[in-house]
Amino acid sequence: MLTLFLQAQGSSPMMLIMMGVMFVGFYFLMIRPQMRKQKQEKNFQENLKVGTRVVLTSGLHGRIAQVQDDGFVIETLSGKLKFEKAAVSREMTETRFGDKAKTADKKETITTTEENK
């Protein structure tokens, strides 16, 4: 197949160089950024903690109640539901609630600690 292609093009080394440059261009413009995005998404999903407010890919909003090996248990207004880790789209705690979320989490921690005493 490759020999037919080379015969049709004439064995011009310039054509091979151009094809190589195109491949390298595609790699840096398309493949590499996609791989970087997948890596960031995986790190994001692995670093989520209990109590973090998240939005799932389906649009469901909730708070992480449990972190398990294969997924999360998300607490919503309708109860607790289990989802795969890949279903988490983004975090809403800091982007939406800002400093309020941090102070609310501290209050929850203090309340929980006092209840355990």
Side-chain angles (χ1 to χ4, degrees):
M1 179 83 176
L2 181 62
T3 56
L4 291 174
F5 180 73
L6 290 175
Q7 287 175 357
Q9 296 296 323
S11 56
S12 163
M14 189 63 167
M15 188 63 165
L16 292 174
I17 292 171
M18 291 299 287
M19 287 179 60
V21 168
M22 284 177 48
F23 178 75
V24 170
F26 276 119
Y27 176 77
F28 282 107
L29 294 175
M30 299 179 86
I31 299 170
R32 191 165 182 243
Q34 183 67 25
M35 289 171 44
R36 185 180 305 147
K37 184 178 177 183
Q38 286 175 345
K39 188 175 184 180
Q40 287 174 343
E41 190 172 316
K42 183 178 178 183
N43 286 339
F44 165 73
Q45 291 168 352
E46 293 294 326
N47 293 327
L48 288 173
K49 298 176 183 162
V50 174
T52 305
R53 295 175 192 244
V54 293
V55 178
L56 304 179
T57 54
S58 62
L60 183 73
H61 291 241
R63 180 180 289 188
I64 297 177
Q66 289 179 338
V67 178
Q68 299 175 345
D69 291 338
D70 59 341
F72 296 113
V73 175
I74 306 292
E75 184 178 0
T76 65
L77 294 175
S78 62
K80 293 183 179 181
L81 304 167
K82 184 176 178 182
F83 288 93
E84 296 290 324
K85 287 185 176 183
V88 177
S89 174
R90 58 188 165 142
E91 179 185 6
M92 288 297 289
T93 305
E94 291 197 25
T95 56
R96 183 167 185 199
F97 300 102
D99 293 331
K100 294 179 190 176
K102 291 178 184 176
T103 55
D105 288 341
K106 287 180 185 176
K107 287 179 184 176
E108 274 184 26
T109 306
I110 292 169
T111 308
T112 307
T113 308
E114 289 174 359
E115 288 175 0
N116 290 337
K117 287 182 181 180

